[in-house]
């Protein structure tokens, strides 16, 4: 995906558009990766390397998709968080009522299969991908924006459709597992996506940068059913020689 876009333009690192995008992408892909992409985009001494950008786009899609899958009401994030907080309290105080309360509440909400919700989630994914591309140095213009939409709309629609389907299919006792950049790598609970953490040259660079493939675990246990795949700093250090 990243190889088909224009990253030849070096935009102003201090521009409001870029700074705001860095803050937003810090939520979807993690701050270390957002800052790395932002820094690499300003380096005039190196040719464009699509690898870290591709990692950033994967992390962004995974982060956004996980949010859709886990949400009580995709698109209405604050409302969904409020409902989730109430449900968590019910589970903690009167667990016997939790399943019935959840079933009744879900029937009152707009179903994720609704066409309007599908469109909203496509726009949500697209907005976040655009932010990630801006941080990485993508040359934003009306023509480029149209090309992006025309080229990737079908793929984005498919991702949104699958995420919404999982939102309805995932049972109450299962949840998506994402590893964040402030967590420690644990081979019992996650996989090194590029298998570089054990290489002697990068043995000390094992900080987690982001998750590129979601995992699955039981909600009430720490038992991992499917390990998420994570990118370690070593993988990006090897590709970019950037280790700050």
């Amino acid at each position: 995906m990243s190889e088909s876009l224009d990253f030849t333009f070096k935009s102003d690192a201090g521009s409001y558009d870029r700074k705001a995008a860095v803050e937003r992408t810090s939520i979807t892909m993690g701050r270390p990766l957002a800052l790395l992409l932002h820094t690499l985009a300003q380096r005039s001494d190196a040719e464009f390397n699509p690898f870290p950008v591709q990692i950033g786009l994967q992390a962004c899609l995974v982060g956004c998709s996980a949010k859709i899958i886990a949400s009580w009401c995709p698109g209405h994030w604050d409302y969904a968080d409020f409902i989730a907080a109430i449900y968590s309290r019910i589970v903690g105080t009167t667990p016997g009522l939790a399943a019935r309360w959840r079933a009744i509440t879900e029937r009152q909400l707009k179903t994720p299969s609704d066409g309007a919700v599908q469109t909203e989630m496509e726009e949500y994914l697209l907005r976040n991908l655009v932010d990630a591309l801006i941080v990485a140095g993508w040359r934003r213009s009306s023509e480029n924006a149209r090309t992006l939409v025309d080229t990737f709309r079908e793929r984005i629609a498919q991702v949104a459709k699958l995420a919404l389907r999982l939102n309805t299919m995932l049972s109450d006792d299962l949840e998506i597992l994402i590893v964040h950049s402030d967590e420690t790598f644990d081979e019992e609970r996650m996989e090194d996506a590029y298998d570089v953490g054990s290489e002697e040259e990068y043995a000390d660079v094992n900080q987690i940068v982001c998750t590129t493939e979601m995992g699955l675990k039981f909600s009430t246990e720490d038992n991992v059913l499917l390990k998420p795949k994570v990118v370690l700093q070593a993988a990006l250090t090897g590709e970019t020689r950037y280790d700050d």
Side-chain angles (χ1 to χ4, degrees), residues 1-3 5 7 29 33 37 50-63 128-134 136 148 152 211-212:
M1 177 176 179
S2 59
E3 295 175 334
L5 299 171
F7 290 89
M29 70 172 68
L33 184 53
L37 292 178
F51 178 72
V53 179
Q54 188 63 42
I55 294 299
L57 294 177
Q58 285 181 254
C60 179
L61 279 176
V62 166
N128 281 282
L129 283 177
V130 168
D131 276 342
L133 291 170
I134 289 173
L148 176 70
F152 302 113
T211 300
T212 54

Side-chain angles (χ1 to χ4, degrees), residues 2 6 29 47 65 68 76 80 94 113 122 131-132 149 157 159 174 198 207 230 242 244:
S2 59
D6 180 10
M29 70 172 68
E47 294 183 2
S65 297
I68 294 171
H76 302 278
T94 52
S113 59
E122 290 176 21
D131 276 342
V149 173
V159 172
L174 296 175
S198 60
Q207 178 183 344
V230 301
Y242 179 82
D244 294 338

Side-chain angles (χ1 to χ4, degrees), residues 141-203:
S141 67
S142 57
E143 181 180 352
N144 285 342
R146 284 194 299 271
T147 300
L148 176 70
V149 173
D150 293 343
T151 303
F152 302 113
R153 171 67 75 181
E154 185 175 345
R155 301 186 200 179
I156 291 172
Q158 186 64 17
V159 172
K161 181 179 180 179
L162 292 173
L164 289 170
R165 184 180 298 173
L166 283 172
N167 176 279
T168 59
M169 291 176 58
L170 209 61
S171 63
D172 296 349
D173 57 346
L174 296 175
E175 64 181 40
I176 293 298
L177 179 58
I178 295 289
V179 184
H180 300 286
S181 57
D182 58 350
E183 297 183 45
T184 303
F185 179 72
D186 180 359
E187 63 181 9
E188 297 297 323
R189 302 183 68 251
M190 58 196 76
E191 292 183 23
D192 180 354
Y194 291 93
D195 197 25
V196 295
S198 60
E199 294 183 13
E200 184 176 351
E201 182 180 359
Y202 304 117

Side-chain angles (χ1 to χ4, degrees), residues 92-112:
T93 56
T94 52
L97 296 176
R100 184 166 179 267
W101 186 90
R102 183 183 184 105
I104 293 173
T105 302
E106 287 178 339
R107 284 199 296 269
Q108 305 304 313
L109 299 173
K110 184 184 293 186
T111 61

